[in-house]
Amino acid sequence: MNIVVGITGGIAAYKAVNVIRGLVLAGHDVHVVATEAALRFVGRPTLEAISRNTVNTDLYEAVAEVRHVALGQAADLIVIAPATANTIAKLAAGLADDLLGTTVLASRAPLVLAPAMHTEMWQNPATVANIATLRSRGVHLVGPVSGQLTGKDAGQGRMAEPDDIVAAALAVAGVPAGSSGSPAPRIRDLEGRSVLVTAGGTREPLDPVRYLGNRSSGRQGAAIAAAARDRGARVTLIAAHIEVEPPAGVDLVRVETTEELLAATVEASARHDLTVMAAAVADYRPVAVSDAKIKKAHTGERLTLELVQNPDVLAIISAGPRDGRVIVGFAAETVGSHEELLALGRAKIARKGCDFLVLNGVGWTTGFATESNTVTVLDASGDIVFEASGSKSSVADDILGVFAAALSGAQ
Ligand code: CTP
């Protein structure tokens, strides 16, 4: 692939060298477009040596070759890392006052941004609005992540790690990278399919400052969305409260409460081939939400909350017409033995009416914020069809193989 890597003027520019290196090692032809500011942070000779091509900066260089548009027109993929708040604002406005701006405007290639800035700048309403504009135009984002920033502060705004940027950028272009950074042969059994994943925990407000929630991190759901994308699917992720960055290259819908999740899921599930309900849905919500903060002076020594059951999203979408679509539920249970887990799972899939149920055991220290998972997949008749163990991403990838096969069988 012909890839343009844009580098803008942030301290993280030095890390862009490893993004370029990863893309070159994966066999791609990389053309660097650096802003003047970027070259104050990282030297042109380094960028030329690593990219094996001339670095382009000046709008008025090689005018005879019409380079200001040629680079963008020839690109199969554009990756901007780091993308500063200033560059993001310029891209949102469609400005073309430098070579990077003209290159992006003149290109129809997917655009991947790896933002890097201080937390205050990332959270500034101007940046938030610019990011929303770019997302709505289909621009893909990798990070930023939380961590140590330049200086003494830490928080969200740190550029994603170069390997993650390379992997996400190649996935957006349909060429997933292997762990070594070189393209790995992958199964693309969801090519042409649409996959809906719900993830994270819903939150039910009690008053303007409090909610009832759960400990779901959304990791497993996010991993399923990323794995489905890598298997070639068009993916929608409905995210309740999640503690991880949503994967790049998926359509993201944010929800808060179970009612919001229900509305979004019922609408989206009907137009997706596969629905995976990995969200941890709050089963109950307060009967009444207080308009003002609940005060101890009024509630006294004991407080009784009256709750009402929430609708069962999975059961509702499973009850509708299927038309070859496949619906998958998750069940996290606190149990003493595998037999107990299977018994609860069998009762649950019968009650919910979905096609598969992914079962896993949870406890105070297992299942939620962890990176790994062990799951058993039951089919509609309660038979074990698959067992997988490993990192949440490998488990996600493995179980998707089962659902992809069911989709082809349903054709
Ligand atoms: N689920 C749902 N709507 C709810 C509750 C759960 O869609 N109101 C979905 C979850 O996303 C998951 C599956 O149902 O895919 C099982 O969730 P779980 O909480 O285990 O099921 P419950 O019906 O709440 O059963 P339990 O009584 O064991 O809590």
Side-chain angles (χ1 to χ4, degrees), residues 8-22:
T8 71
I11 306 282
Y14 77 94
K15 291 207 268 178
V17 172
N18 281 334
V19 174
I20 299 165
R21 189 162 183 275

Side-chain angles (χ1 to χ4, degrees), residues 96-118:
D97 62 348
D98 61 11
L99 188 62
L100 186 57
T102 57
T103 301
V104 170
L105 276 192
S107 181
R108 293 203 167 93
L111 174 60
V112 178
L113 303 182
M117 64 197 75
H118 284 273

Side-chain angles (χ1 to χ4, degrees), residues 52-77:
R52 304 173 190 173
N53 276 315
T54 313
V55 168
N56 306 278
T57 319
D58 190 350
L59 202 48
Y60 300 101
E61 246 169 30
V63 177
E65 296 165 23
V66 210
R67 189 172 297 166
H68 71 290
V69 292
L71 282 164
Q73 285 170 336
D76 300 307
L77 172 68

Side-chain angles (χ1 to χ4, degrees), residues 33 131 147 156 237 252 311:
V33 177
I131 289 289
Q156 197 179 16
L237 175 65
L252 182 69

